Amino acid sequence: MTDDTKVLDLIAQQDYEYGFVSDIESDTFAVGLSEDVIHRIVDRKCEPKFMLEWRLKAYRHWLTLQEPRWANLRFKPIDYQGISYYSSPKSMKDRPKSLDEVDPKLLETYRKLGIPLHEQQKLAGVAVDAIFDSVSVATTFKDQLAKAGVIFCPFSEALKEYPELIKQYLGTVVPYRDNFFAALNAAVFSDGSFVYIPKGVHCPMELSTYFRINAANTGQFERTLIIAEEGSYVSYLEGCTAPMRDENQLHAAVVELIALDHAQIKYATVQNWYLGDEQGRGGIYNFVTKRGVCRGAYSKIAWTQVETGSAITWKYPSVILRGDHSVGEFYSVALTRHYQQADTGTKMVHLGNHTRSHIMSKGISAGHGQNTYRGLVRVAPNAVGVRNYTQCDSMLIGDQCAAYTFPCIECKQQAHLEHEASIAKIGEEQLFYCQQRGLDSENAIAMMVNGFCKPVFDKLPMEFAVEAFKLLEVSLEGAVG
Amino acid sequence: MLEIRDLTVAIDGESTPILKGLNLSINSGKVHAIMGPNGSGKSTLSHVLAGHTGYSVLQGSIQFMGQDLLVLAPEERAILGIFLAFQYPVAIPGINNMYFLKEACNRIRQGRHEKSLDAVDFLAQVRTHLKQIGLDESFLKRSLNDGFSGGEKKSNEILQMLMLQPKLAILDETDSGLDIDALQAISKVINQQRTPQRSWLLVTHYQRLLSYIQPDYVHILYKGRIVKTGDHNLALRLEKEGYGWLQAEATHTVEGHD
Amino acid sequence: MVMDRQQADWQAHCQGLLQQIGCREATWLKDWRHQHLEQALALSFPNRRHEIWRYTDMTAWRSADLSLSLPLEALRAYQNTIHKETVLAQLLKMPSVYRAVFYNGHLQQTHTQDLPSQAIISNWTTLLQQNPELVQDICTRLQYKESAQLFKSLNYALMQDGLLIYLPKGVQLKQPIVMVSLHKVGEKSTAPTLSCNQHWIYLEEGAKAVVWQVSIGLDAQNNIAYYHNVATDIQLARGAQLTHYQLQSHTQQAQHLSMQRVELQRDSQLEQHSIALGGRLARQEDQIILQGEGAQACVSGLTVTMGCQQVDHDLNIQHIAPHTTSKTTCKAIAAQRSKSVFKGGIHICPHAHGTQAHLQNTNLLLDPTAEINTKPELNIENNDVQCSHGAVVGSVDQEAKHYLQSRGLSKQEAYRLLVNAFAKDRLQAIHHPSIYSVTEQMTLDKLTRIAELNLS
């Protein structure tokens, strides 16, 4: 594998490699949030009128809500008036028509990140949409996708080109009333990715979005919407990084997935936002609402996530299983080290008959890291023949870390539901055994972690599985003395 | 090959030693058996030789192939040629048995400046050895020692030994947990592996193993010291009379052989 | 505004209840009651928006026009009913036991013949007269133990009576102690009554006891509810061993709330078996604190619900000291439109090295209208542990049922057999033969009723 063939290249470096700040002139709103700010976002992006109304409704609703505190997380209060809600590289004001017009500094940034935006640097079969601070800067392979009828473009562009589709689906899976951060996102989100797979189309390549926060004091609020029509298939991957800064930055994204009859969506995340330093200073606050709905019969949504970054992770990718015989899956590896805290898991809501779900969560805690699995499996009164299997394993490395498992089963119909959890550790005995067979302790840890996570990595697209493994391996270097 | 002098060892953080000035020399190609009642320090000795961090060496030295063993990390000792077949091999769920074996094999070969085995050669070797021990190939697909029966664990240790080709093989209670057929099969393999370049340290509570693998020397470890050394007849005497008579003889210490 | 009004009514109501308690009590006790009532009223009433009350609606406790059960009325009623209820015969005549019987929260009789000297089995209203300092001392120690909890504070404020079991160092009782709590709505009364009990079980170093705590609702046909709030404080000193059997068979109208706290010192052992069959809303909160090295707790539970019933079991095990172990096996059977709620929290503190904790919750959902909510939780703050939990919700295995039918059993018989088989291991875990036989009989009666209703 050569260096320029991978989206998440360079990630396998010991320190946080993506901590650089790009010196790019940007057009950034002054800090603060008000109806005026929302008007300005809508103006700046020339959005249709229905969006303004929707955003204002969301904002007014948000004002009535309190920041949720039920999660197993401790963090300093967020000053919502101390954040800038819009930042865009200046040269993007008049969107470039082609990559040649993109600011070379911006392209340099992506080169450093290992994201090839130039189509000639072909990443085999992966189309990329790159989001820098609040706006999408470039999307690759558009023409090739268009031939197949697949729409893959920045959200802002979709609002102009396909307003009817957006109007029909936006907020149907995650309404702005859903929660505090979803309301905030609806009010101020600036861009994101939009994917539409027409009936019967098997998307010809992996789709990928790459997120980067650059400017200081900005929040990132992107929104992704994926619609898979009857009998279609799509596999999608997102990756994230941010500069190292001493203050905490907020990321509050929303992802909505809609799968119609027999459609299949695979959504993978490799999250590597800046995690803060060894003392727990700085790092991204990652409050994300991700939900998919299996609307059609025999549809399937699978979430796979590898969470290694962020100071705080609050994230529960969920599936509403509405269509009969639909399937929801959740595969997760979450690593916490330094002072990272992750409260993550899933909700599987079984509304349709014979719906099935499978949850596999692997939490690794090292250093002072805290890892919480929080899950809900709900069976509605009318859903017959439901099955769920949940497996939830924790691995502890060192003696300062903690693991929590909070599953919840709500069952209002005869069903077959199973939850199992176990705790493993990398302790001296395991290390000694491996060392006696000639492996040094870092090889041994890498091997054990890989073994532990393999069932989840197997669910990632192949080229990313390797990266994800390297990412973990690097993050854990020196975790055991 | 191995020269242990005045070895005094305690469990890390404790002051009462388990091994109290142990002396032992092992030459190339010889088979030494260490016998002794429970708690005499047999397992401590094998763990210290392999470099377990849970013990502190209070006194004494260990030379192996002319090198000071005590300054080396466990994996460096493994590369040098020390292999410990554990009494209780740990189970590590999630690590594939074959993957582990291949990784260990190549790490050690690299350390010895030998060429790594490619997948084809590796598999060919493993298959030969599996057959020798009488194991099925599906054995390789399981997680390392996870859910293995006592006998399977012990067989797996021997399989690893065959692949790693050590200079000194320490077998810690390898016979326990094995039925008679498995014991015979393993003994046969071990006897085939006896070469003038390879030495053996068999740690055992019973003499059963020794009727299949004839030792050159039998040592009795008692209260942290080697109190008696002899040939196979000594093991037979222990079998007949138990360890009780040692109490009386414990006073005069017999040093290890050359 | 509505909330404020409700809160005000509730406060006034509780103040009224406190006034019903005898005014001749010692000053410290009066103060103690008032202090805890204030504490209770300062706390907001459980709301389903709170995570711990998400599945449980306690509003009946606030909206009912309760009056406290009175000692004299209890005595008369006890004498009138005692001979009529055959179900009691077996219980009250059980040979070779120490016994204490409460009726609507007031002690009626004790049987403590041959109790070793210095051991105490006595109710605390009696002790208040004989040894008031002891009661005061226990009460004072109790109140600082944990943060305020509404129903516990209310229990402290309104407690009417309770049993003190005290075994001095090394005393090992050969006979079990049977605590029977009988409940019945007064003959003429139309308003629901509330009884509040407070039991203390203290085992000194090396002491050993078997305690059977039974709550039974009489006159199951009566439609009027009664309320029972019971708090139990258990202390096991070094090496003490307690086997604690519990059987709860209230009427289908009863509201039952049991809060139990067990503290285990070094090498002490608790074995607990709870069988919960009755109550409109019955909630058992168990807090087990493994405070000393080597302490062990083994918890077994079975709940069976039908009709409008809801039974909660909220279990919380804290491993504070190293090398402590806990093993929990809880089962629930939910039939018709009933609801079963289980929460099993295991907390392993940073210093509790070498801990072993295993929890399994298995549920049988017999009807599409029934509901099961289960939340097994692990909090691990230490890496030297062996820990697992599991939860399963399933229904009667159709294959197995078919198999039994193919061997000649009727559909009904096959169904009954499979449901009984599910409950069986929890019953068989009860080792005392007489306790087993009563518990089994009552459980099987209920399971038979479920089987009949299900197929009629």
Side-chain angles (χ1 to χ4, degrees):
Chain A
M1 272 177 284
T2 51
D3 280 353
D4 56 356
T5 54
K6 286 162 270 169
V7 167
L8 295 161
D9 199 35
L10 289 175
I11 284 181
Q13 306 286 329
Q14 181 158 14
D15 292 321
Y16 192 74
E17 269 295 300
Y18 313 99
F20 58 85
V21 179
S22 301
D23 181 19
I24 287 171
E25 231 189 314
S26 60
D27 170 17
T28 302
F29 281 12
V31 298
L33 181 55
S34 63
E35 293 204 1
D36 180 50
V37 168
I38 291 166
H39 278 277
R40 282 164 60 206
I41 292 173
V42 171
D43 281 354
R44 196 62 60 102
K45 303 188 75 74
C46 310
E47 288 182 353
K49 191 156 177 281
F50 78 87
M51 282 304 293
L52 177 67
E53 285 163 13
W54 190 68
R55 284 173 181 280
L56 287 174
K57 267 194 268 178
Y59 174 67
R60 286 166 197 154
H61 181 67
W62 179 75
L63 289 174
T64 68
L65 299 175
Q66 298 235 312
E67 193 181 81
R69 285 281 169 175
W70 45 261
N72 191 17
L73 301 169
R74 275 179 294 275
F75 56 94
K76 276 182 271 166
I78 300 167
D79 176 9
Y80 293 93
Q81 294 303 335
I83 297 172
S84 165
Y85 288 85
Y86 187 81
S87 174
S88 149
K90 254 209 177 119
S91 61
M92 300 297 294
K93 230 170 173 179
D94 303 300
R95 270 190 75 81
K97 301 287 175 292
S98 79
L99 278 173
D100 301 336
E101 291 174 36
V102 174
D103 186 334
K105 273 190 190 157
L106 205 59
L107 289 179
E108 176 61 19
T109 303
Y110 279 97
R111 200 192 56 74
K112 274 196 214 168
L113 292 167
I115 301 169
L117 291 178
H118 283 287
E119 294 190 26
Q120 59 267 37
Q121 292 177 293
K122 267 187 189 168
L123 177 67
V126 180
V128 181
D129 182 19
I131 315 255
F132 196 87
D133 285 339
S134 299
V135 292
S136 172
V137 291
T139 310
T140 60
F141 287 105
K142 270 170 91 169
D143 298 341
Q144 210 168 319
L145 289 168
K147 269 182 220 146
V150 171
I151 304 171
F152 177 42
C153 67
F155 207 97
S156 46
E157 193 180 313
L159 267 171
K160 294 192 189 88
E161 307 284 331
Y162 318 100
E164 289 312 310
L165 275 177
I166 303 258
K167 208 170 170 181
Q168 188 184 344
Y169 289 107
L170 180 70
T172 57
V173 187
V174 181
Y176 66 77
R177 294 184 158 271
D178 193 76
N179 69 66
F180 181 85
F181 293 105
L184 180 63
N185 175 284
V188 303
F189 82 90
S190 31
D191 216 330
S193 296
F194 175 77
V195 177
Y196 178 83
I197 317 288
K199 193 168 168 177
V201 171
H202 189 286
C203 184
M205 60 183 80
E206 297 280 341
L207 303 184
S208 176
T209 300
Y210 194 83
F211 296 103
R212 168 94 186 155
I213 299 178
N214 190 56
N217 299 320
T218 54
Q220 180 149 321
F221 307 93
E222 78 276 353
R223 200 164 178 111
T224 301
L225 175 58
I226 300 180
I227 301 152
E229 289 280 7
E230 243 171 83
S232 66
Y233 167 90
V234 62
S235 169
Y236 183 95
L237 183 123
E238 60 172 12
C240 338
T241 59
M244 288 198 269
R245 295 184 190 280
D246 281 346
E247 77 271 19
N248 300 105
Q249 282 180 284
L250 178 64
H251 173 250
V254 170
V255 176
E256 298 179 280
L257 311 181
I258 295 148
L260 300 176
D261 286 5
H262 294 274
Q264 213 188 114
I265 303 176
K266 285 188 184 173
Y267 193 106
T269 304
V270 176
Q271 185 264 106
N272 188 29
W273 295 117
Y274 178 50
L275 72 156
D277 67 12
E278 277 165 36
Q279 271 77 46
R281 276 187 306 250
I284 299 291
Y285 285 175
N286 192 31
F287 291 90
V288 175
T289 308
K290 292 185 170 179
R291 194 174 303 150
V293 55
C294 284
R295 274 206 199 169
Y298 295 96
S299 55
K300 178 175 171 183
I301 290 178
W303 297 101
T304 305
Q305 59 175 26
V306 177
E307 303 277 321
T308 60
S310 296
I312 300 283
T313 300
W314 180 98
K315 181 182 171 190
Y316 314 93
S318 306
V319 185
I320 315 286
L321 296 146
R322 182 164 284 142
D324 291 348
H325 298 279
S326 59
V327 177
E329 291 174 354
F330 174 77
Y331 304 103
S332 168
V333 166
L335 167 72
T336 53
R337 57 189 174 123
H338 292 349
Y339 282 85
Q340 275 180 288
Q341 304 173 54
D343 192 310
T344 184
T346 184
K347 276 196 261 188
M348 292 290 172
V349 181
H350 293 262
L351 303 174
N353 295 331
H354 305 289
T355 48
R356 283 176 294 144
S357 60
H358 187 185
I359 298 170
M360 189 190 293
S361 161
K362 304 276 183 179
I364 304 169
S365 313
H368 291 86
Q370 293 214 359
N371 217 316
T372 302
Y373 168 79
R374 189 182 299 278
L376 172 68
V377 175
R378 178 183 285 153
V379 181
N382 301 321
V384 302
V386 169
R387 297 185 87 87
N388 158 269
Y389 179 70
T390 301
Q391 184 189 348
C392 195
D393 299 320
S394 307
M395 180 176 262
L396 296 154
I397 304 176
D399 54 6
Q400 301 293 312
C401 52
Y404 303 88
T405 311
F406 301 135
C408 179
I409 297 176
E410 294 180 3
C411 184
K412 300 191 180 181
Q413 172 60 271
Q414 285 168 291
H416 192 86
L417 314 173
E418 247 180 280
H419 169 95
E420 271 185 283
S422 75
I423 307 281
K425 67 165 175 176
I426 295 187
E428 283 175 10
E429 292 311 313
Q430 288 82 356
L431 278 181
F432 180 60
Y433 188 84
C434 295
Q435 283 178 292
Q436 215 303 303
R437 298 296 181 258
L439 286 90
D440 63 38
S441 57
E442 287 186 352
N443 286 156
I445 290 173
M447 188 185 271
M448 283 188 256
V449 169
N450 190 24
F452 182 71
C453 300
K454 196 169 177 297
V456 174
F457 289 165
D458 285 349
K459 303 291 174 185
L460 284 171
M462 215 206 1
E463 52 273 60
F464 301 115
V466 178
E467 296 304 330
F469 170 57
K470 276 194 195 158
L471 180 60
L472 279 199
E473 193 177 24
V474 155
S475 302
L476 285 168
E477 265 176 30
V480 171
Chain B
M1 177 181 273
L2 181 77
E3 196 72 45
I4 304 174
R5 285 274 161 253
D6 194 25
L7 187 67
T8 303
V9 172
I11 289 180
D12 220 10
E14 287 179 21
S15 55
T16 334
I18 298 171
L19 297 180
K20 300 162 186 163
L22 182 135
N23 291 298
L24 180 67
S25 297
I26 296 179
N27 282 353
S28 297
K30 299 296 180 197
V31 178
H32 289 242
I34 292 220
M35 301 184 69
N38 289 329
S40 56
K42 299 189 302 279
S43 284
T44 303
L45 177 62
S46 48
H47 276 101
V48 169
L49 285 172
H52 195 284
T53 48
Y55 300 92
S56 47
V57 175
L58 305 174
Q59 232 183 110
S61 66
I62 306 176
Q63 295 276 321
F64 181 67
M65 315 272 296
Q67 289 208 42
D68 179 3
L69 206 58
L70 292 174
V71 300
L72 299 179
E75 65 269 25
E76 293 169 322
R77 301 181 194 203
I79 288 165
L80 216 52
I82 288 184
F83 178 89
L84 169 62
F86 286 77
Q87 183 180 5
Y88 303 109
V90 292
I92 308 181
I95 297 189
N96 176 273
N97 204 22
M98 176 153 73
Y99 175 72
F100 178 74
L101 195 57
K102 181 157 185 263
E103 199 65 22
C105 195
N106 282 335
R107 292 280 166 181
I108 284 184
R109 293 179 74 97
Q110 278 164 24
R112 292 177 188 162
H113 307 291
E114 293 168 18
K115 216 173 124 255
S116 293
L117 290 177
D118 63 26
V120 179
D121 289 344
F122 172 79
L123 208 62
Q125 281 200 21
V126 173
R127 282 190 177 136
T128 317
H129 294 319
L130 279 173
K131 213 173 278 167
Q132 273 178 293
I133 309 171
L135 288 170
D136 191 77
E137 210 167 304
S138 65
F139 196 67
L140 297 171
K141 298 197 176 105
R142 296 162 69 179
S143 277
L144 181 56
N145 294 330
D146 190 28
F148 283 27
S149 70
E152 283 175 329
K153 281 187 185 171
K154 295 298 170 75
S155 302
N156 201 29
E157 296 291 288
I158 299 302
L159 176 66
Q160 290 176 6
M161 185 193 76
L162 292 175
M163 290 301 294
L164 301 181
Q165 291 294 309
K167 293 203 171 57
L168 171 67
I170 306 161
L171 309 186
D172 192 355
E173 307 272 2
T174 297
D175 50 333
S176 66
L178 287 181
D179 61 37
I180 198 78
D181 293 337
L183 183 63
Q184 277 175 345
I186 282 180
S187 305
K188 196 175 147 205
V189 172
I190 291 171
N191 285 325
Q192 284 167 358
Q193 293 288 315
R194 286 174 75 160
T195 67
Q197 289 77 37
R198 182 168 295 141
S199 310
W200 302 78
L201 187 61
L202 312 178
V203 177
T204 179
H205 187 76
Y206 305 103
Q207 82 86 32
R208 193 170 74 136
L209 178 71
L210 305 181
S211 40
Y212 296 101
I213 307 166
Q214 282 278 332
D216 297 306
Y217 301 102
V218 173
H219 309 276
I220 296 171
L221 186 62
Y222 186 70
K223 292 190 173 168
R225 284 191 193 92
I226 287 178
V227 295
K228 209 162 182 62
T229 295
D231 57 15
H232 189 208
N233 290 323
L234 183 58
L236 294 173
R237 181 175 173 200
L238 280 177
E239 174 88 340
K240 222 180 330 169
E241 299 175 27
Y243 288 102
W245 56 275
L246 283 172
Q247 194 81 42
E249 294 194 18
T251 39
H252 30 117
T253 309
V254 183
E255 300 297 355
H257 273 241
D258 281 336
Chain C
M1 284 304 108
V2 179
M3 285 305 292
D4 291 347
R5 173 83 184 279
Q6 275 180 345
Q7 188 69 13
D9 285 354
W10 154 249
Q11 290 185 356
H13 187 66
C14 292
Q15 306 275 10
L17 285 175
L18 184 55
Q19 275 161 18
Q20 292 177 22
I21 288 174
C23 50
R24 272 176 300 175
E25 282 182 341
T27 321
W28 74 263
L29 186 53
K30 276 186 182 161
D31 290 348
W32 202 76
R33 290 183 186 280
H34 277 283
Q35 187 191 336
H36 284 96
L37 188 68
E38 260 171 52
Q39 201 174 59
L41 297 179
L43 295 163
S44 60
F45 197 84
N47 181 315
R48 293 185 73 173
R49 282 196 301 263
H50 298 153
E51 189 59 29
I52 45 170
W53 300 103
R54 186 159 153 199
Y55 305 110
T56 308
D57 184 358
M58 297 299 289
T59 49
W61 285 74
R62 180 164 63 177
S63 53
D65 185 20
L66 297 176
S67 63
L68 284 175
S69 65
L70 300 173
L72 204 62
E73 280 175 16
L75 179 64
R76 283 196 211 107
Y78 175 66
Q79 285 163 343
N80 289 339
T81 52
I82 196 68
H83 305 293
K84 295 178 195 164
E85 298 279 347
T86 50
V87 61
L88 289 176
Q90 209 179 337
L91 247 179
L92 298 180
K93 285 179 192 153
M94 192 184 282
S96 324
V97 296
Y98 306 108
R99 188 183 302 117
V101 182
F102 290 80
Y103 193 94
N104 283 353
H106 299 279
L107 185 80
Q108 303 305 321
Q109 53 142 285
T110 53
H111 172 86
T112 57
Q113 220 173 357
D114 307 325
L115 190 68
S117 63
Q118 290 172 345
I120 303 173
I121 299 179
S122 177
N123 67 324
W124 55 261
T125 43
T126 309
L127 285 169
L128 264 178
Q129 283 148 24
Q130 294 168 353
N131 192 351
E133 292 80 15
L134 176 69
V135 179
Q136 184 173 4
D137 184 48
I138 295 174
C139 285
T140 316
R141 267 191 289 158
L142 272 181
Q143 68 182 337
Y144 296 111
K145 275 199 180 147
E146 53 204 312
S147 55
Q149 202 255 69
L150 191 140
F151 289 102
K152 202 159 210 180
S153 300
L154 200 64
N155 179 293
Y156 287 0
L158 301 175
M159 57 186 196
Q160 296 161 297
D161 205 346
L163 199 68
L164 167 68
I165 296 173
Y166 173 82
L167 296 188
K169 189 171 169 178
V171 171
Q172 307 205 336
L173 295 186
K174 293 197 178 61
Q175 306 183 152
I177 301 167
V178 182
M179 301 163 64
V180 187
S181 187
L182 302 176
H183 294 266
K184 190 176 177 181
V185 179
E187 308 267 287
K188 287 173 220 139
S189 87
T190 49
T193 54
L194 167 68
S195 44
C196 287
N197 288 131
Q198 169 84 241
H199 304 301
W200 305 323
I201 303 175
Y202 299 144
L203 268 51
E204 294 286 11
E205 198 177 319
K208 189 176 172 182
V210 175
V211 174
W212 189 25
Q213 207 172 343
V214 192
S215 301
I216 290 182
L218 306 173
D219 193 7
Q221 308 315 317
N222 199 322
N223 283 329
I224 296 168
Y226 59 83
Y227 289 66
H228 188 209
N229 177 334
V230 53
T232 311
D233 185 57
I234 301 176
Q235 301 273 339
L236 305 182
R238 190 178 179 140
Q241 291 178 33
L242 174 67
T243 305
H244 193 186
Y245 297 111
Q246 295 166 329
L247 172 64
Q248 181 273 100
S249 178
H250 282 293
T251 68
Q252 299 253 355
Q253 304 302 326
Q255 299 272 337
H256 172 78
L257 184 58
S258 159
M259 292 158 291
Q260 180 174 294
R261 187 174 193 280
V262 190
E263 262 181 53
L264 290 102
Q265 301 304 329
R266 197 183 173 117
D267 298 325
S268 59
Q269 291 178 21
L270 170 75
E271 195 184 318
Q272 179 182 313
H273 302 262
S274 320
I275 311 289
L277 306 172
R280 160 68 62 101
L281 173 62
R283 181 176 168 88
Q284 179 173 347
E285 295 176 13
D286 286 331
Q287 212 180 351
I288 295 173
I289 303 153
L290 297 153
Q291 201 123 48
E293 233 178 291
Q296 296 178 29
C298 179
V299 179
S300 161
L302 174 67
T303 69
V304 183
T305 55
M306 64 191 288
C308 311
Q309 283 190 280
Q310 171 172 352
V311 175
D312 288 14
H313 191 184
D314 185 309
L315 174 70
N316 193 350
I317 301 177
Q318 290 180 49
H319 290 261
I320 293 178
H323 304 291
T324 47
T325 56
S326 69
K327 186 172 191 295
T328 305
T329 315
C330 288
K331 288 188 166 185
I333 299 172
Q336 294 175 312
R337 52 199 183 282
S338 68
K339 192 166 153 184
S340 177
V341 180
F342 176 80
K343 195 200 117 185
I346 291 177
H347 195 123
I348 296 173
C349 296
H351 304 295
H353 297 283
T355 293
Q356 289 188 37
H358 300 283
L359 180 145
Q360 181 67 33
N361 175 237
T362 313
N363 300 281
L364 188 60
L365 194 68
L366 292 178
D367 291 284
T369 45
E371 181 178 335
I372 280 171
N373 299 296
T374 170
K375 286 174 65 171
E377 297 186 348
L378 291 178
N379 297 262
I380 316 281
E381 299 186 338
N382 170 344
N383 75 346
D384 181 20
V385 297
Q386 280 183 38
C387 205
S388 70
H389 72 189
V392 177
V393 179
S395 40
V396 170
D397 186 345
Q398 294 303 320
E399 299 277 312
K401 198 167 118 195
H402 177 74
Y403 177 80
L404 291 179
Q405 283 176 264
S406 75
R407 294 292 177 268
L409 273 72
S410 72
K411 197 173 158 194
Q412 185 167 348
E413 188 61 17
Y415 177 90
R416 200 181 61 82
L417 222 59
L418 287 170
V419 174
N420 289 4
F422 178 83
K424 194 156 192 156
D425 67 333
R426 290 308 91 210
L427 294 170
Q428 282 178 339
I430 298 172
H431 293 302
H432 191 279
S434 324
I435 297 175
Y436 170 75
S437 113
V438 172
T439 309
E440 188 203 29
Q441 192 189 324
M442 293 183 89
T443 309
L444 292 186
D445 280 354
K446 176 138 194 184
L447 291 178
T448 306
R449 259 187 293 153
I450 287 173
E452 281 163 1
L453 277 167
N454 185 275
L455 296 160
S456 62

